[in-house]
Each structure stands twice: as structure tokens, then as C-alpha cells.
Amino acid sequence: RMPGGKAPITSIATLADGFFLTASIHAPVIKMYKTVDGDRVEFVKDFNGHKSGITALVILDKKGRFLSAGQDKTVRLWDSRFNCKEDLAGEGDGFPVPKTLLATFDEFKRWVHSVEVLNEGSFVRPTDDLDMAMVTAMAKKTALEGANSVQRAALEREIIECSGSFVTASKNQKDVIIWNMTVAGKKGESSPDGNVAEANVAHVLKHDFAIEAIAAMNDLVLTGDITGDVYMWKRLRSSLWGYQWTKLHKFTPRKNSDPLAHWDDDSNESIVKLCLLGSDAFVSGTKKGQLRVWDIETADGFEVRKKKATSLKMSSSSI
């Protein structure tokens, strides 16, 4: 356990400059720490907002945004950049203090057990250093809301742009959902619920069995189900409908393609963890401890043993 922690740690996410986050499925608080001189860890602060245990943490971008999921059936968007001191960024100088909790997304029927970032999008505050993202966001805001909108945003420390996309999988659910985030409010108006960003369903990836694990990167999503199969989804351009998500392959360790042939409710074949190794391979882990490495292009895989990796012929079928 980390200093100041009481609950067992079940999620960790690393930020820049030696900062990192921890959370527990048994507690509603996210904790920030910092490594000092390579041999010491200091507690920085708590992030409060969830009403029950944290099930997932993932870093959204290099600017310090991160996403958390909880057993309270919400996914929350946070900004960690202004959290080293409670009084940082203008408290007492007449300006609003920047928000820590940027948004709460509560459109979930079951609690989310996995969150993965698909695209980091853009995050721009009027007080940020001038870069291409800032120039683009200012031009867009001026075109939509008028010439004085950027100046007003600077005075009120209003976030100009807050976008991105992420993927979620929920407890005992067959559907994996892709969400697109956009900045909330129009023409300088804030969202009624106080959210800086809003999330809308972009696509639903449907499966025959409940999904226990996901992994994502750019236009690629992997989903692992309770029978031990892994599916690869790809965002492809369609001449009729623009971009569409298509299920391209099924990776399975079974010679028998029927997923029910060796599966029942007590089976340990369920995929509980997926991790992409770049764009060419991925690792899958099962409930009973089997670890397999898969080649995305050839669809071959091998099982990782304790002492050595023994090549096994796995199978993949196009869909």
C-alpha cells in the first residue's frame, strides 16, 4: 500500500514528471503521488467525485487529462494539471479556479469495468501556451461565437476545446460502446450539469457473449469475451456510409470453432485482460492464468509458459 492509502490498489496510471495515480475498487477516491529523487514517494492530493469504488483509470493525453470508471455507473473526466496545490492558478485574484473534475458521464446501465482511449482529441485552455491546437481552437470558437468569445473565455478561464474518444465495456454486457467527446455548451454558455465536455455514442460494437476485456489504439479495438475469444474491430471507410466499425477477425485458441463446445458458466477461459503491443501484436490473459501472444497480421499465436514460450498453432477466422 502507498503512504496514506488504506484500500488495496487495483488501478495505476502514470502521468508526466514523476506523477502517478492510484485507485481501488474498494474506495471512491483517486490518489495522486509524485516520485522524489528516485527513491521517495510523496502524496500530492485526492480526487473526489465517485460515490463508490474505482474500477478503471486511463490517461487521456499528455496535458494531464485522465478518465476513471466507478461502480457508481459513471465515467469521469479529470484534469490533473492544476492539482499540485489547492490554491494554484489564481485563487484569491478574482479569477475562477480551474476545474479538477471536467465532466461526469452517467449514461450507463451497468458499472463500467474497462475504459480505453481511442483518440486523445484536443484540450485547450485560454491560459495555455500558444500552439497549433490553441490557434485552431481559437479560430473555431471565433467563427461560431463571435470575435469577443476568446477574450471572454480568457477572462473567465473557460476551456475552449475539450474533445477525444474512448471505449467502454460494462459488467455482464455484450455491447462495447465507442464515445466521442466534445466541449459542452454553445456560445459561451456552460452545460446545465456543470460539465466541460459531453460524451455521445458514436458506435456500438455488438457481440454474442459478455465482454470482459478491451484494448484500443487509433482505429483499432480488441474485445475479449467470456468464452475465450478475442475480436478485432477496425474503423474502415465505406463508400456509402463514411467511416464504419467492422469486425474483421476472431482469434480463438480452440480447434473447434464452436465457442460453447468447451464452455459453461464456471469456465475459466474468459479473457480478462488485453494489451496491444504496437499495431502488429497483442497479448491476451485468461481467468485461469493463460497468457497468449498473437500476431495481428498472420493471426498466429503462442502460449507463454513459465520457463519458455512454446509455439502453438492458434486460429483466426475472417468475419
Side-chain angles (χ1 to χ4, degrees):
R1 290 178 179 139
M2 298 301 300
K6 295 181 179 180
I9 294 169
T10 54
S11 297
I12 299 175
T14 57
L15 295 158
D17 303 323
F19 289 88
F20 63 95
L21 305 166
T22 69
S24 172
I25 198 171
H26 304 292
V29 180
I30 302 166
K31 295 183 176 293
M32 176 188 279
Y33 298 91
K34 184 179 182 180
T35 56
V36 181
D37 300 327
D39 59 359
R40 199 158 46 88
V41 174
E42 291 183 353
F43 171 74
V44 179
K45 73 163 289 157
D46 289 333
F47 293 82
N48 295 291
H50 280 286
K51 297 178 181 179
S52 57
I54 311 298
T55 56
L57 281 177
V58 62
I59 304 302
L60 180 57
D61 59 22
K62 294 180 180 179
K63 290 189 174 182
R65 285 185 303 168
F66 67 93
L67 291 162
S68 64
Q71 290 180 316
D72 57 2
K73 301 179 184 178
T74 68
V75 170
R76 298 176 190 252
L77 175 66
W78 309 81
D79 179 8
S80 67
R81 292 185 302 168
F82 297 97
N83 290 296
C84 294
K85 294 182 180 179
E86 292 287 352
D87 60 349
L88 192 61
E91 184 175 16
D93 64 3
F95 293 101
V97 177
K99 294 170 67 70
T100 300
L101 178 57
L102 298 177
T104 298
F105 309 127
D106 56 5
E107 302 88 351
F108 302 94
K109 296 180 180 179
R110 301 284 184 91
W111 58 267
V112 173
H113 60 69
S114 299
V115 180
E116 292 290 333
V117 174
L118 200 56
N119 188 302
E120 69 177 45
S122 179
F123 184 48
V124 179
R125 290 182 181 274
T127 52
D128 289 345
D129 294 333
L130 186 65
D131 58 12
M132 185 55 67
M134 167 74 84
V135 172
T136 302
M138 290 171 62
K140 179 180 177 182
K141 190 173 184 67
T142 299
L144 292 174
E145 303 175 20
N148 297 326
S149 59
V150 173
Q151 182 180 4
R152 183 179 63 251
L155 290 173
E156 298 178 1
R157 295 193 175 178
E158 174 189 309
I159 292 174
I160 298 175
E161 183 62 74
C162 188
S163 63
S165 58
F166 60 95
V167 189
T168 62
S170 297
K171 182 67 174 177
N172 298 328
Q173 296 295 292
K174 300 177 183 179
D175 294 343
V176 171
I177 303 177
I178 297 175
W179 302 84
N180 282 344
M181 286 192 304
T182 55
V183 67
K186 297 181 179 180
K187 295 187 179 300
E189 298 176 1
S190 60
S191 172
D193 54 14
N195 283 352
V196 169
E198 57 187 19
N200 298 297
V201 175
H203 201 89
V204 178
L205 310 182
K206 294 186 174 295
H207 302 79
D208 293 328
F209 300 95
I211 299 300
E212 292 290 296
I214 56 176
M217 181 178 64
N218 298 325
D219 293 333
L220 176 68
V221 174
L222 297 175
T223 58
D225 69 18
I226 57 176
T227 71
D229 291 338
V230 178
Y231 296 90
M232 183 177 77
W233 296 79
K234 190 82 172 176
R235 184 173 177 261
L236 301 174
R237 188 172 186 83
S238 169
S239 58
L240 294 177
W241 307 104
Y243 285 99
Q244 294 289 314
W245 283 92
T246 304
K247 188 191 296 183
L248 293 181
H249 292 291
K250 180 176 76 173
F251 299 82
T252 179
R254 297 182 300 272
K255 293 182 179 179
N256 189 327
S257 61
D258 182 4
L260 297 179
H262 304 286
W263 178 85
D264 56 44
D265 289 339
D266 297 322
S267 174
N268 289 325
E269 297 290 339
S270 176
I271 301 293
V272 295
K273 198 67 178 178
L274 290 169
C275 180
L276 279 158
L277 303 175
S279 58
D280 299 323
F282 68 90
V283 181
S284 65
T286 68
K287 189 176 181 180
K288 69 178 179 181
Q290 289 182 329
L291 190 66
R292 294 186 177 94
V293 179
W294 299 87
D295 186 304
I296 289 178
E297 184 174 351
T298 65
D300 291 333
F302 60 83
E303 184 175 346
V304 179
R305 307 286 187 176
K306 289 183 178 180
K307 295 183 179 180
K308 63 179 181 179
T310 303
S311 294
L312 297 176
K313 187 65 177 178
M314 305 298 180
S315 64
S316 169
S317 59
S318 296
I319 297 176

